C-alpha cells in the first residue's frame, strides 16, 4: 500500500471472466505480478481507471498473486471497466473495512444467503471457509438470481462447492426457464421452504431481497446477533474522512461494511 | 504581558513573514477572508471573516496525483507538496475550535490524511480575541470562550491601544522570544467581549437527538431548505469532499474538492439507489452530524457557533432555532 492512503498503487488486470451478461470478474495483480495487498474476507478495494473514475468494490476472492473483484456494469467507471481487455493497468488501493468476524465464525455451522451480484462479498468468506475447512462446521449456500444467465460464479455453484465436504448448495431462479431443472422461487421463500434451524447466517443481495430474507429468518427464529450482512454505500475516500457513507455515527468504509442485524437495528435505517 | 502598539503591528507581521508564510484576515471586495500577508494591505481585524480559514489546511480543490494512461499502460505520480512553515494570524475562537474538529477527522481513527497533515503540522495558529460580538455569533453557547481560543500557539488580546500576546504552547513561546525586540512589556488589561445577543442552550441535545431520528421535526425543519449548500461551504467544520478527475488526452490528474451532504448526488449510488433521497433526510443528516453523530464519534460538537450559516442562509435557516425546536420537541 502507498504511504498516502488516498493515492492508489499501479495494478494490472491479468484475467477477466464473463460471469453473466453484465457481470465480469477482474483478477488484479500489481504490475510486478504480486498480490496488491492481503485482504480479510469481506474487505473492500478501491479500483480505478483514473481516466474514468474510481469506486469501491468488494473483494470476492483472492489467489496467491491476485485479488478478484466481481463487478456489475451499472455506471461510468464500471462501464469503462467492462470495455477493457486483459493486461489493462489500473489503480488499486486498500484493503478497507472490517471484514467478516472470522474468530466469531470459527467452529460454527454457517448459512450463506445471496442474491444476484450480492454473492460477490459472501464468496470471499465461503472460499476462506473452504480453504480452512476444518475450522468451520457445516456450510449451506442458498443463492438465487433473476434468470440462469444472471447466476454468477457458475463454476463454484455447480462444480466446486457441491464437492466440498459437509457443504450443501441450493440454487434458484426467480421465474421458470426452458432447460432449467433446478428450483424456481425467490430467495427468501426458498430459505423458508428449506426450513433451516437457526444458525449463524451471512447474507447479501439487493435491498429488497435482504429485507424479505431478514423477515423470513426472524420467523424461523434466527437470532439478530447471528445474522450478518455486508452493506454497500457510495464512497470516495475509503478511510472515514469524506463523509458520505455514514449510517448514524458510523462509516461503512471503516466501521463496516459487515454488520450484524443486532448492530443495524441500533442504527438509523438509512442505507 | 508582552504587547505591541496597534499601529506597529505591521512591523511584527513583516518580520514574521520573513520566517513564515503568514496568513492574515483581509477584506476583499467586501468579503472577509484569510490570505497571504502583504505589507501594503490593510488588515481586517474588526470582526471575523465571512470565509473561514479551513481552506489553508483543506483547500477547496486539491490535486492528489497525476496519471498518464496510454494504451493499456498507466503511470501514477503522487503530487506531494512540501509545505513551508506557516502562521495563521488572527484566527477567532470559533475557527480555532473548528481546526480541532478537523484534526479529529483527518488525523485520527486509523488513517491520517497526508494532504491535511502536511499543512497542519507546519502551521502555527495565532488566535485573536473577540471584543465585538456579531448578531449571529453564539460560540459561547457552544462552550467556547471568545477571548481564549482552543489549540492556538499564541493568543492575541485587545488592550485598547495595544495588542497583547499570551503564549499557549512552547511554539508560541518561541515566537514571542523570536520577535521580542519589537514587543514591550505592558500593564494594560484586555478589553472584555461584548454581551452575546444570540444564546442557545445545547445541553442534552446530542443525547436527545439520538432518539429523534424519526421525529416529525425534520419534516418541518427541512421544508424551506433550498439545498443550495451555502451553509456547508461557509461552515468552518464541514469537511466532506468528493474525489474527481481531469483528463486531457492521455494525461490527467485526480483531485479532491469540497462536497456537500445537501446535494442529492452526494449519496446516490451508480445503480440509482439513494439512502438520503429527499431534503428531509439530507437536512436531518446535517444537523444530526453536527449535534449528535460527531459527539458520539469524537466527543465534541461539530458546530462552533461562528454563525456564518445563519447569517447567510437565503431562507434564514437558523441552527440555533433548530436546537431550540429539538429542546422543545416531545420524544417518547
Amino acid at each position: 500500500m502507498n504511504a498516502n492512503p488516498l493515492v492508489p498503487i499501479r495494478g494490472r488486470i491479468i484475467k477477466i471472466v464473463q460471469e453473466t451478461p453484465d457481470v465480469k470478474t477482474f483478477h488484479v495483480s500489481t504490475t510486478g505480478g504480486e498480490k496488491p495487498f492481503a485482504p480479510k474476507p469481506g474487505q473492500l478495494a478501491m479500483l480505478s481507471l483514473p481516466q474514468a473514475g474510481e469506486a469501491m468494490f468488494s473483494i470476492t476472492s483472492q489467489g496467491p498473486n491476485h485479488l478478484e473483484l466481481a463487478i456489475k456494469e451499472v455506471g461510468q467507471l464500471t462501464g469503462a471497466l467492462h470495455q477493457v481487455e486483459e493486461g489493462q493497468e489500473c489503480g488499486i488501493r486498500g484493503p478497507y473495512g472490517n471484514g467478516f468476524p472470522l474468530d466469531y465464525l470459527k467452529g460454527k455451522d454457517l448459512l450463506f444467503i445471496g442474491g444476484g451480484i450480492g454473492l460477490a462479498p459472501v464468496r470471499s468468506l465461503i472460499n476462506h471457509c473452504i480453504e480452512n475447512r476444518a475450522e468451520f462446521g457445516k456450510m449451506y449456500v442458498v443463492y438465487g438470481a433473476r434468470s440462469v444467465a444472471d447466476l454468477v460464479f457458475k463454476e463454484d455453484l455447480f462444480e466446486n462447492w457441491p464437492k466440498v465436504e459437509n457443504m450443501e448448495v441450493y440454487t434458484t431462479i426467480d421465474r421458470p426457464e426452458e432447460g432449467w431443472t433446478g428450483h424456481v422461487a425467490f430467495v427468501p421463500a426458498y430459505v423458508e421452504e428449506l426450513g433451516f434451524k437457526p444458525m449463524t447466517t451471512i447474507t447479501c443481495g439487493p435491498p429488497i431481497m435482504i429485507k424479505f430474507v431478514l423477515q423470513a429468518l426472524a420467523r424461523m427464529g434466527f437470532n439478530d446477533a447471528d445474522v450478518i450482512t455486508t452493506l454497500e454505500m457510495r464512497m470516495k475516500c475509503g478511510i472515514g474522512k469524506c463523509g458520505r457513507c455514514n449510517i448514524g455515527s458510523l462509516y461503512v468504509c471503516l466501521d463496516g461494511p459487515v454488520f450484524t442485524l443486532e448492530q443495524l437495528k441500533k442504527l438509523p435505517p438509512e442505507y | 504581558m508582552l504587547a505591541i502598539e496597534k499601529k506597529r503591528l505591521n512591523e511584527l507581521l513583516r518580520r514574521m513573514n520573513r520566517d513564515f508564510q503568514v496568513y492574515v484576515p483581509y477584506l476583499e471586495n467586501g468579503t472577509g477572508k484569510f490570505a497571504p500577508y502583504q505589507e501594503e494591505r490593510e488588515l481586517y481585524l474588526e470582526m471575523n471573516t465571512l470565509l473561514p480559514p479551513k481552506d489553508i489546511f483543506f483547500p477547496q480543490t486539491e490535486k492528489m496525483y497525476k496519471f498518464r494512461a496510454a494504451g493499456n499502460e498507466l503511470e501514477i505520480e503522487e503530487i506531494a507538496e512540501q509545505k513551508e512553515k506557516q502562521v495563521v494570524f488572527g484566527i477567532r475562537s470559533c475557527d480555532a475550535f473548528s481546526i480541532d474538529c478537523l484534526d479529529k477527522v483527518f488525523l485520527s481513527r486509523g488513517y491520517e490524511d497526508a494532504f491535511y497533515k502536511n499543512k497542519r503540522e507546519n502551521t502555527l495558529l495565532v488566535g485573536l480575541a473577540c471584543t465585538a460580538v456579531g448578531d449571529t455569533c453564539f460560540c459561547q453557547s457552544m462552550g467556547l470562550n471568545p477571548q481564549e481560543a482552543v489549540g492556538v500557539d499564541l493568543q492575541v488580546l485587545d488592550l485598547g491601544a495595544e495588542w497583547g500576546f499570551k503564549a499557549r504552547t512552547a511554539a508560541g513561546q518561541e515566537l514571542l522570544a523570536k520577535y521580542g525586540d519589537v514587543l514591550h512589556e505592558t500593564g494594560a488589561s484586555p478589553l472584555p467581549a461584548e454581551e452575546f445577543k444570540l444564546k442557545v442552550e445545547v445541553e442534552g441535545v446530542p443525547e436527545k437527538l439520538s432518539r429523534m431520528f424519526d421525529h416529525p421535526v425534520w419534516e418541518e425543519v427541512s421544508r424551506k431548505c433550498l439545498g443550495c449548500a451555502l451553509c456547508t461551504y461557509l461552515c468552518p467544520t464541514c469537511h466532506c469532499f468528493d474525489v474527481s478527475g481531469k483528463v486531457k488526452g492521455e494525461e490527467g490528474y485526480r483531485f479532491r474538492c469540497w462536497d456537500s451532504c445537501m446535494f442529492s448526488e452526494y449519496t446516490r449510488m451508480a445503480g440509482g439507489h439513494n439512502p438520503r433521497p429527499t431534503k428531509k433526510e439530507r437536512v436531518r443528516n446535517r444537523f444530526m452530524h453536527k449535534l449528535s453523530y460527531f459527539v458520539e464519534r469524537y466527543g465534541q460538537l461539530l458546530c462552533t457557533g461562528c454563525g456564518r450559516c445563519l447569517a447567510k442562509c437565503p431562507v434564514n435557516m437558523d441552527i440555533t432555532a433548530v436546537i431550540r425546536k429539538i429542546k422543545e420537541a416531545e420524544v417518547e
Side-chain angles (χ1 to χ4, degrees):
Chain A
M1 182 154 137
N2 201 310
N4 184 333
L6 293 173
V7 178
I9 58 167
R10 271 169 82 208
R12 183 176 287 139
I13 297 167
I14 54 166
K15 186 178 169 188
I16 301 173
V17 180
Q18 184 93 42
E19 302 283 352
T20 75
D22 61 0
V23 176
K24 286 180 176 179
T25 299
F26 297 85
H27 294 223
V28 181
S29 288
T30 64
T31 47
E34 292 168 344
K35 179 146 68 177
F37 41 81
K40 291 199 304 176
Q43 282 194 303
L44 310 166
M46 270 284 190
L47 185 69
S48 55
L49 291 174
Q51 56 279 46
E54 180 181 54
M56 192 72 102
F57 300 100
S58 69
I59 301 163
T60 189
S61 195
Q62 55 185 308
N65 300 316
H66 74 277
L67 302 174
E68 293 178 24
L69 298 94
I71 297 173
K72 185 168 177 163
E73 185 178 355
V74 285
Q76 204 177 336
L77 171 67
T78 54
L81 277 167
H82 273 247
Q83 297 298 314
V84 306
E85 291 174 359
E86 289 173 358
Q88 172 69 44
E89 293 182 0
C90 58
I92 189 160
R93 58 189 178 94
Y96 297 122
N98 54 358
F100 291 106
L102 294 179
D103 288 338
Y104 177 77
L105 299 175
K106 265 184 197 160
K108 294 193 165 69
D109 291 344
L110 302 173
L111 170 60
F112 301 95
I113 304 170
I117 186 71
L119 187 58
V122 178
R123 180 178 177 243
S124 66
L125 180 58
I126 296 174
N127 283 352
H128 172 87
C129 294
I130 291 171
E131 279 160 33
N132 302 276
R133 191 67 199 88
E135 290 179 16
F136 301 91
K138 222 169 158 175
M139 287 161 61
Y140 306 88
V141 176
V142 183
Y143 173 66
R146 279 172 303 180
S147 67
V148 175
D150 290 304
L151 295 168
V152 293
F153 314 125
K154 289 191 183 69
E155 200 181 321
D156 283 338
L157 290 171
F158 300 112
E159 301 290 327
N160 303 335
W161 293 348
K163 287 182 197 145
V164 176
E165 196 186 340
N166 267 331
M167 180 165 179
E168 293 171 18
V169 181
Y170 300 91
T171 312
T172 179
I173 57 172
D174 289 355
R175 273 173 287 278
E177 215 173 290
E178 210 173 310
W180 173 255
T181 54
H183 202 83
V184 177
F186 291 116
V187 169
Y190 195 24
V191 168
E192 229 166 343
E193 191 184 322
L194 287 163
F196 295 104
K197 290 196 300 289
M199 70 179 102
T200 302
T201 302
I202 299 93
T203 182
C204 185
I208 189 78
M209 184 211 88
I210 297 208
K211 187 179 160 193
F212 288 112
V213 162
L214 296 181
Q215 288 175 8
L217 295 177
R219 280 194 294 273
M220 294 162 74
F222 281 55
N223 183 345
D224 288 351
D226 253 351
V227 175
I228 298 165
T229 188
T230 169
L231 298 180
E232 189 183 25
M233 285 286 241
R234 186 168 190 183
M235 298 174 187
K236 287 287 181 173
C237 72
I239 57 174
K241 318 288 188 207
C242 83
R244 74 205 61 235
C245 73
N246 76 296
I247 301 177
S249 67
L250 300 183
Y251 286 105
V252 174
C253 68
L254 206 58
D255 308 303
V258 176
F259 295 95
T260 65
L261 183 54
E262 186 183 37
Q263 290 170 321
L264 285 181
K265 282 189 171 171
K266 289 180 191 146
L267 292 173
E270 204 170 61
Y271 42 86
Chain B
M1 185 177 359
L2 285 171
I4 192 165
E5 281 174 62
K6 282 188 175 176
K7 57 178 193 280
R8 292 182 60 207
L9 180 60
N10 254 319
E11 289 175 41
L12 173 66
L13 292 172
R14 201 185 307 135
R15 286 275 305 280
M16 212 180 254
N17 200 48
R18 276 185 226 145
D19 305 317
F20 302 90
Q21 171 66 65
V22 179
Y23 288 87
V24 291
Y26 287 125
L27 207 52
E28 206 168 283
N29 300 322
T31 299
K33 61 184 285 194
F34 282 78
Y37 173 74
Q38 288 172 288
E39 217 175 303
E40 62 283 4
R41 282 185 77 175
E42 196 188 336
L43 300 170
Y44 176 64
L45 302 175
E46 288 73 28
M47 296 293 279
N48 199 5
T49 53
L50 174 63
L51 304 180
K54 75 174 173 188
D55 66 325
I56 295 169
F57 308 96
F58 175 49
Q60 192 163 352
T61 63
E62 182 165 35
K63 289 183 187 177
M64 301 167 78
Y65 56 94
K66 293 187 277 191
F67 65 84
R68 193 167 175 278
N72 60 9
E73 284 176 22
L74 175 69
E75 287 166 36
I76 294 172
E77 190 190 332
E78 189 177 340
I79 300 172
E81 185 193 13
Q82 210 35 62
K83 201 70 202 176
E84 53 188 312
K85 289 267 179 205
Q86 51 188 22
V87 170
V88 179
F89 183 94
I91 189 167
R92 307 289 179 160
S93 294
C94 53
D95 292 339
F97 193 68
S98 81
I99 305 298
D100 188 71
C101 293
L102 297 181
D103 285 352
K104 298 274 188 306
V105 172
F106 287 118
L107 302 177
S108 79
R109 290 288 185 135
Y111 292 92
E112 287 186 335
D113 184 297
F115 299 103
Y116 178 87
K117 189 182 179 190
N118 175 31
K119 299 173 193 63
R120 183 69 179 93
E121 274 186 344
N122 286 299
T123 307
L124 298 176
L125 299 177
V126 180
L128 176 57
C130 295
T131 48
V133 169
D135 293 343
T136 54
C137 288
F138 61 103
C139 74
Q140 204 171 47
S141 296
M142 306 315 269
L144 303 180
N145 179 343
Q147 300 216 319
E148 194 61 68
V150 172
V152 295
D153 297 288
L154 206 57
Q155 178 71 52
V156 181
L157 295 161
D158 190 342
L159 309 178
E162 303 155 302
W163 295 115
F165 297 92
K166 278 188 173 174
R168 293 290 172 223
T169 63
Q173 197 75 56
E174 276 173 42
L175 274 185
L176 289 185
K178 197 173 176 110
Y179 306 112
D181 56 326
V182 292
L183 306 174
H184 63 266
E185 201 56 56
T186 185
S189 32
L191 301 178
E194 288 172 7
E195 177 75 11
F196 276 77
K197 293 169 251 341
L198 183 59
K199 290 177 185 173
V200 66
E201 178 60 60
V202 79
E203 171 100 39
V205 165
E207 298 74 20
K208 190 171 181 186
L209 272 175
S210 65
R211 291 177 286 129
M212 286 181 65
F213 189 81
D214 293 315
H215 200 278
V217 74
W218 302 117
E219 195 71 58
E220 189 192 329
V221 165
S222 64
R223 203 170 294 140
K224 65 181 177 181
C225 175
L226 301 174
C228 73
L230 179 140
C231 51
T232 57
Y233 282 85
L234 290 182
C235 180
T237 69
C238 274
H239 53 268
C240 291
F241 62 87
D242 189 12
V243 176
S244 193
K246 185 98 182 152
V247 189
K248 200 175 174 191
E250 292 179 346
E251 293 183 3
Y253 59 86
R254 299 280 298 169
F255 64 93
R256 70 171 171 190
C257 58
W258 295 353
D259 200 354
S260 173
C261 58
M262 296 287 93
F263 296 143
S264 64
E265 304 83 56
Y266 179 71
T267 46
R268 190 168 64 211
M269 288 187 266
H273 176 65
N274 193 344
R276 292 197 277 270
T278 76
K279 65 182 179 181
K280 181 187 120 183
E281 292 89 32
R282 297 194 280 273
V283 167
R284 173 175 61 195
N285 185 68
R286 175 170 153 81
F287 288 118
M288 290 289 254
H289 187 208
K290 300 228 163 279
L291 303 171
S292 182
Y293 300 158
F294 200 81
V295 181
E296 268 179 54
R297 195 169 181 87
Y298 297 108
Q300 63 199 45
L301 292 161
L302 191 64
C303 172
T304 67
C306 77
R308 291 176 174 99
C309 56
L310 53 137
K312 291 294 170 184
C313 176
V315 294
N316 296 319
M317 190 82 102
D318 177 346
I319 190 169
T320 65
V322 173
I323 292 170
R324 275 181 221 105
K325 274 203 172 79
I326 293 163
K327 284 289 246 190
E328 289 161 13
E330 284 181 31
V331 179
E332 289 159 31

